[in-house]
Amino acid sequence: MEDFTNIEEEEDDHKKNKDSTKFKRRQLGLSCMLNTEVGAVLAVIRRGPEFNPNNGYNISSPEESYDSSMVSSLRSLRSLIFNPQQEWRTIDPSIYLSPFLDVIQNDEVPASATGVALSSILKILKFEVFDDKTPGAREAMESIVAGITSCRLEKTDPVSEDAVMMKILQVLAGVMQHKASTLISDHAVCTLVNACFQVVQQSVNRGDLLQRSARYTMHELIQAVFSRLPEIKVKEREGESESDMEDDDDEDDESLESGYGVRCAIDIFHFLCSLLNVVSIVDGDGSTSHTADEDVQIFALVLINSAIELSGDKIGKHPKLLRMIQDDLFHHLIHYGTWSSSFVLSMICSTVLNAYHFLRRFIRFQLEAFFGYVLFRVAFLGSSMPLQEVAVEGIINFCRQPTFIVEVYANYDCDPFCRNVFEEVSRLLCKHSFTANGHLNSLNIQAFEGLLIMIHNIADNIEKDESIPLGPYPIQLNEYKPFWEEKDRVDDDLEAWVEHVRMRKVQKKRLLIAANHFNRDNKKGLEYLKHAKLISDPPDPKAYAYFFRYTPGLDKKAIGEYLGDPDSLYLQVLKEFTDTFHFNGMNLDTALRFYLESFWLPGESQKIQRIVEVFSERFYDQQSSDIFASKDTVLILCYSLIMLNTDQHKPQVKKKMTEEDFIKNNRGINAGHDLPREYLAELFQSISNHAIALAQTIVSLEMSPSRWIQLINLSRVTPTFIQCDFDKRMCRDMFACIAGPSVAALSSFFEHADEEELLHECIEGLFSVARIAQFGLEDTLDELISSFCKFTTLLNPYASSEETMFTFSHDLKPRLATLAVFTIANDFRDSIRGGWKNIVDCLLKLKRLKLLPHSVIDLEAQADVSTPDSSALSLDDQKFGGSQRFSSMITRFSLLSPENMEDGLTLGSEFEQNLKMIKMCRIGSIFSNSSNIPKDCLHNLGRSLIFSAAGKGQKFSTPVEEEETVEFCWDLITTITLANVHRFQFFWPNFHEYLLAVAQFPMFSPIPFAERALLGLLKVCLKLFSTPREDKQIEELIFKSITLMWKLDKEILDTCHDVISQSMSKIVIEYPANLQTQFGWKSVLNLLSVTWRHPETYDLGIEALITLLSDGTHVTKTNYAYCIDCAFGCFLAKNSPIEKKKKILDLLADSVKLLVQWHRTQYSDPGSNVSAASSTSTSSMEDNSRGPGSANYNMNLFVKLGEAFRRTSLSRQEEIRNHAVYSLHKSFNLAEELLYLSSNCINYFNLVIFAMVDELHEKMLEYSRRENAEREMRSMEGTLKLAMELLSDMYLNSLRQIAESPGFRTFWLGILRRMDTCMKADLGHYGPSSLSEIIPDLLKKIITHMKDEGILAPKEDDDMWEITYIQIQWICPALKDELFPL
């Protein structure tokens, strides 16, 4: 353990010895250095100024000619160098600095000695012989500064003087770079900088090396001073307000104790600002002119930029320095920016940009003035091209800053009292993006790139916050809110601040509208202010005052009349109006000029008096000097100035007032005393030389002194520049302001651009506009699409297909435009409205050029493009993935470059290149992925396709082309309808209206439109009914459209019978449960009836009908009547299977069981729940005007069924006729419960049985009158026999109910009459009828039964017996005795 401790002690001793050796070595080195420097100075002094190597050595000692004390001090220093009593760092530096400084300050010493002494000082500083902790370091540094700055070179040549100046510059830089430089006083630093600038000035006419070195040193000094500014602690008193801005002695005292600080920075910055105002005198043509020294200005701007860059936002902590930037610096920048050279203007723009970065909170109005009075003027008002380019580049540099455009919009465009800086910037860039002669120049390209920067910036930020949904975000101004009140941005309540800013923008727009009304009719303008909620009720005078004061373009004469009005309200308005002016720091004439610029002073003396009195009071209250005793003095002097102005500048006044007269007229107006003569003389000269425009209507574009003072005063009392970030709603509002010019600029630039890179930049801009347009700016995107569709060359109506194909194949621009348009349609389809028409027109042209496959929906499946992005992102992935999607889109466009298009393709494969490009457009997905597009978008897309299919805006060269176009359009309509079938009821009413409109087109041809429409609608119909849906309106919507189409040309039903049959059969067989309305069933079964017309579809239809009737589950009151009609159509079909018909007849007869069931339960069947709307909104059932809910409805259906059997009994097929009679009989037997009322029975007999017998009898007689028709006649006779037997049986079965009817007597006579008709049937040459054989038996059977039932019997009050007796005697006398025995 002891050994280990000993080892550590030995190591410590070794380290101490090593450090001691190093320390001794450094001390010895410093001693040697000092000795060498002393020796060098003495050697140069000994050599003397006459020394020349060729002359040998002088005998006399040169030291004798110099101050002996200077040489002695050097020798004394040498004697002390190697015998220091302590280390050099603790020795007072003055001991070894003084001898060298004496040499530097001695005017008799040659330049070579001065140069060596300066080198010695520099080496001492570089070797850091002392530091900031060395005793006497401050005094030593001060002495160095004093010595160097007092150096005089009296006896030297120019070459040596330049060398010494170079050394001085090095020492100056060395002083500021030394550790002890922080101990130097503010005055010493200012002296040092001033000395350096003197060298800069002297170097102008000397060598270039000295000039460059001097300027570099000056730059280093400024860097050293201002880089320390952020480290200086700010006293709280200084940062709290600007009231002590002019007096800051405490700060100065503090700087004396701790070294240089803010005071020297202020003085130096003030000096740099003054350099901007340096002028040079130019002689020419016998006259002299003063112009700014451009070289000095640039040098000053470079230094000012360094100062701002190094100080950063800490300048805002020092009021004096900040005030200097706000006032002095910006005043010079704005003044010289309007007429300086391009180089100076560029530097000015850089300076302002630096100030924006660090100090924008404090320079709100200065920035606005710089844009308005410098950049906009230079860029707009016909300046030279280089100047315009510099101004535009300066604006673009601002726009490149991340939050500049949104901050400008929030601070200026949304402030009713500021100009629309953001809008003006945008319009300027748009204006310069347009080419004047059809060829793009550098300014056009530069401005366009700046416009794209703004658009991309908005687009990138508008998609950031996904928590806020898409939308136009309307802002409503429903209540009065003072438009002059601002609201600070608080991080905890950003939502409220955003709404406040947007509301102020609305107020600003309404103020401009009010101004327009005001200029046309003053009263209407003020009324509009109330209507627009800009003025309270009762009116607030302050609102009127701010409206008159800050709204641009107002009629100044009208303002003056209102301000001079004696009404109490307008007296308050005048007071508030005048209070908006800040006259601090203005002379009276300047303030009066500025005041009268805002309105036209009325001519009435009383009005003038009221206005001038209020002005005088305001001016007096804001004056810091005590020159005026009271406001009355100001009032009198104002009148005097107005009179002087009239006297001096009215041509009618011949004898002009002199200065002495003016002074004499104003004696004793200052509370009995005179105003200073110099002051009055100054006012006289000002008015005499420059008239006050009392009736000024044109606003000066110059930054006048009064305006600048007002600006500075406003910056003290108005809230600071608000720093903010982008908000989705503000982004949308911003672009809405510039959308029109931006779209026009994009289109124009794309039209005139030839370089591929520029074309791609245009496409990127197009996509950014599309990204923004998602937020309620659909019209903008439509306009842009319309423009770019023209560039595709596909819409040129004067170009042939061959010309279009050639242009499309050989020019990159049309292909880029085409890909851009369809990419927009894919990725931003939700934002397209009217633009769909142009897109559809382009599609149709591509179709005619054979660049699209037969079915565009199959395009995606056919696409085999070997590109990284050929597979499209799904719609869900694209919805908010803005940056990823944008990158993907841009990558796709690079594939259209000639190099990429030729990869893998042989020469002459233009058509293949075009196909490859079309596949990249992903046209199919536009329609197949349209399931979530907004309703308005879907309406516009459907309208465009339907109208195009109908030929609107199309020119067809051949019928084949027309048919292909119609088919293509209806394929797309069908696709988008199928994709949106889940919301069919919401969009199809509009589609149906479009179909109705199409039918009204002049020269409209339903073929092939209606045919293709019907096929597409049937596909949609199948899709709709494949899934149960709660909304019953869907059925009515789709079938109304289907019905409309086939009614346009009924031949369509035969043309499309196969598709109709398959579709309707499938619905009836597979989806009958999804048919819920009467109209739906009617339409389906009516269309199913088409199948009976064609043998190839008959089986399909009849199987569907058999399935429906066999199951019976889906046969309801709603569709029963239509089932009967459909079945009857089946019976009329020729050459159809008899067994199938008989099967349907049997099913119909059995269906009576359903009628009986419904009769029992009345409303328990599914069809009873049909709403009144569904039953009344469609056409009523034939022969039945009452709905399913009526009590007699079931009986009516039974009658309709009987009528169907009756009509079928007339079929030309005997087997079917007879089976119809049997089925009728069967149905009658099953319907006993329906016939419980005698009226029902009699009605049924009249409508069905009697009618059937009469028709069969008539048909039999008709055949009997024909030649060679015996077989048909006998066949019909056989059916009639069956009918008479049916009549007899049904009568006997219903005798009890019928006999109770009051009309029984008439009914019975009807039966007897038909018996008589059949008994006496005359068949002509075909011989007697066999009916006479069965009629007696039937009569005998009937009468016997009636007699047995007691229905037919002799009665005193009833003549039935006698009538029957007479009829039997007439019909069949042989039965008389048997039936009526005496």
Side-chain angles (χ1 to χ4, degrees), residues 1017-1245:
L1017 292 174
L1018 289 174
K1019 292 181 182 178
V1020 175
C1021 190
L1022 279 176
K1023 180 69 174 179
L1024 285 171
F1025 292 111
S1026 63
T1027 307
R1029 302 184 185 278
E1030 296 181 0
D1031 195 336
K1032 299 175 183 178
Q1033 184 188 7
I1034 291 177
E1035 296 180 28
E1036 183 174 349
L1037 291 174
I1038 186 64
F1039 285 118
K1040 279 174 64 177
S1041 298
I1042 291 174
T1043 303
L1044 174 64
M1045 289 300 100
W1046 67 258
K1047 282 187 175 180
L1048 291 175
D1049 191 334
K1050 295 188 178 182
E1051 293 182 2
I1052 295 172
L1053 294 177
D1054 295 322
T1055 307
C1056 306
H1057 69 274
D1058 52 344
V1059 178
I1060 294 174
S1061 302
Q1062 293 172 7
S1063 301
M1064 297 302 106
S1065 298
K1066 187 169 185 178
I1067 291 175
V1068 171
I1069 295 173
E1070 298 183 16
Y1071 315 124
N1074 297 334
L1075 278 169
Q1076 305 177 61
T1077 67
Q1078 185 177 7
F1079 186 71
W1081 274 107
K1082 177 182 178 181
S1083 302
V1084 169
L1085 294 173
N1086 283 347
L1087 290 173
L1088 187 64
S1089 300
V1090 175
T1091 60
W1092 319 138
R1093 303 182 188 179
H1094 305 277
E1096 62 271 22
T1097 60
Y1098 183 89
D1099 289 341
L1100 191 62
I1102 207 163
E1103 285 299 330
L1105 186 58
I1106 289 174
T1107 302
L1108 178 64
L1109 295 175
S1110 298
D1111 183 17
T1113 306
H1114 304 292
V1115 178
T1116 65
K1117 289 184 181 182
T1118 302
N1119 62 16
Y1120 188 80
Y1122 306 120
C1123 291
I1124 296 172
D1125 292 337
C1126 182
F1128 180 71
C1130 165
F1131 304 145
L1132 298 180
K1134 301 177 181 179
N1135 303 321
S1136 54
I1138 293 177
E1139 293 302 322
K1140 296 289 182 69
K1141 291 182 178 180
K1142 291 168 68 176
K1143 175 67 173 176
I1144 291 180
L1145 286 170
D1146 292 338
L1147 291 172
L1148 286 176
D1150 290 336
S1151 68
V1152 177
K1153 297 175 183 177
L1154 294 173
L1155 294 175
V1156 173
Q1157 180 183 350
W1158 299 336
H1159 177 72
R1160 291 172 183 170
T1161 58
Q1162 191 63 32
Y1163 301 108
S1164 62
D1165 65 289
S1168 66
N1169 294 326
V1170 177
S1171 65
S1174 65
S1175 63
T1176 59
S1177 61
T1178 60
S1179 59
S1180 62
M1181 192 184 307
E1182 292 181 11
D1183 301 327
N1184 177 41
S1185 60
R1186 291 172 289 179
S1190 64
N1192 236 4
Y1193 187 74
N1194 296 323
M1195 185 61 201
N1196 292 336
L1197 293 178
F1198 180 62
V1199 171
K1200 186 174 182 67
L1201 176 63
E1203 289 175 338
F1205 287 140
R1206 171 179 62 78
R1207 286 178 291 171
T1208 307
S1209 67
L1210 297 175
S1211 172
R1212 300 187 64 178
Q1213 295 176 311
E1214 181 180 9
E1215 192 171 353
I1216 297 301
R1217 288 200 308 272
N1218 295 340
H1219 204 80
V1221 175
Y1222 292 140
S1223 299
L1224 177 59
H1225 193 182
K1226 181 180 179 181
S1227 66
F1228 186 85
N1229 292 334
L1230 292 173
E1232 182 179 355
E1233 294 186 32
L1234 296 174
L1235 302 171
Y1236 68 95
L1237 295 176
S1238 59
S1239 58
N1240 288 350
C1241 287
I1242 293 175
N1243 187 50
Y1244 186 80
F1245 269 87

Side-chain angles (χ1 to χ4, degrees), residues 776-787:
L777 296 172
E778 293 79 9
D779 291 345
T780 300
L781 186 58
D782 289 340
E783 184 180 350
L784 199 56
I785 288 175
S786 176
S787 298

